[in-house]
Amino acid sequence: MAEEAIYVPRLAIGLVHYPVRDRQNKTVATNVTNFDIHDIARAAQVYGVERYYIIHPMQDQLMFVERVLDHWRTGQGAKYNPKRKTALGPVHTSESVEKAIADWNVPGALIISTSAKDEGLKKYTFAELRHEMHVEKRPVFMLFGTGNGMTEDLLKSCSGTLESIRGAPPQDYRHLSVRSAVSICLDRVMGPW
């Protein structure tokens, strides 16, 4: 008897550098970091993410990302560390969230934001989003903000917000690096448990 093919949900992620908030709640653009390129790409590869978009409106920041990608995909880095080349395969750059979603071009995808704060928006628990993805077979584009989180307008434009990752009681500390948050979220919605 032939084995049934395993269904892998369609998932893209975006690391949003603009529009995000600073500590004074002003809309700003944050800088791309080398760690975020590499570490999130590795997590994306582990959990079957189709595309990982680094979203920034400034060309110099996108050019920085492209130089890093070129080094590891086709330069000396590709020979030095072939696994890094594989991990960086799904990484793309985009000038805006809208352009990233259009580039992925998957009709009917849920656009899900993430936030450490309770923003008062439509919420998806991890279990609900996992059900949408694995049972209802809904594709998902998940956005992760940098700085002090995505702007309210961007959050409101999404299909919903994923529940926040809670810290251990009694403190409920919620100040993870975005790399850690991405890894936890991907494991909860894509992990084989």
Side-chain angles (χ1 to χ4, degrees):
M1 181 180 252
E3 282 189 40
E4 188 176 324
I6 296 172
Y7 175 73
V8 178
R10 298 197 67 188
L11 175 63
I13 60 174
L15 183 62
V16 180
H17 290 276
Y18 180 86
V20 295
R21 299 175 280 199
D22 67 9
R23 290 183 185 154
Q24 285 77 42
N25 209 32
K26 293 179 184 166
T27 301
V28 296
T30 58
N31 288 330
V32 175
T33 71
N34 197 25
F35 291 118
D36 291 343
I37 298 169
H38 292 277
D39 291 353
I40 294 173
R42 289 163 66 184
Q45 188 68 29
V46 167
Y47 291 104
V49 172
E50 287 182 19
R51 291 197 176 197
Y52 161 34
Y53 290 92
I54 297 173
I55 301 167
H56 204 297
M58 297 172 65
Q59 286 304 308
D60 62 338
Q61 291 287 294
L62 297 179
M63 287 170 53
F64 163 71
V65 175
E66 293 298 339
R67 281 194 308 273
V68 170
L69 295 176
D70 285 346
H71 172 75
W72 291 102
R73 287 176 175 166
T74 60
Q76 283 299 106
K79 295 175 192 158
Y80 174 75
N81 190 342
K83 285 191 174 190
R84 183 70 50 97
K85 176 182 177 180
T86 300
L88 293 171
V91 180
H92 297 267
T93 58
S94 182
E95 295 173 358
S96 70
V97 170
E98 296 78 15
K99 287 182 178 178
I101 293 167
D103 182 73
W104 192 41
N105 192 26
V106 177
L110 290 172
I111 312 303
I112 302 295
S113 62
T114 58
S115 178
K117 304 169 191 149
D118 183 4
E119 303 285 353
L121 302 169
K122 176 179 171 46
K123 286 268 193 248
Y124 283 88
T125 66
F126 285 103
E128 288 168 339
L129 187 59
R130 189 175 174 89
H131 178 84
E132 287 287 334
M133 296 170 72
H134 293 263
V135 178
E136 302 298 327
K137 299 186 177 179
R138 291 285 304 269
V140 169
F141 196 117
M142 194 179 301
L143 300 173
F144 296 88
T146 58
N148 273 37
M150 291 175 271
T151 61
E152 188 176 337
D153 287 343
L154 178 53
L155 291 169
K156 286 181 179 177
S157 73
C158 296
S159 309
T161 300
L162 188 58
E163 69 177 303
S164 27
I165 299 166
R166 301 186 61 94
Q171 190 177 9
D172 189 18
Y173 184 79
R174 296 187 197 195
H175 195 66
L176 290 168
S177 71
V178 71
R179 296 176 301 283
S180 295
V182 170
S183 294
I184 291 167
C185 290
L186 292 180
D187 186 65
R188 289 184 181 178
V189 299
M190 295 290 283
W193 43 269

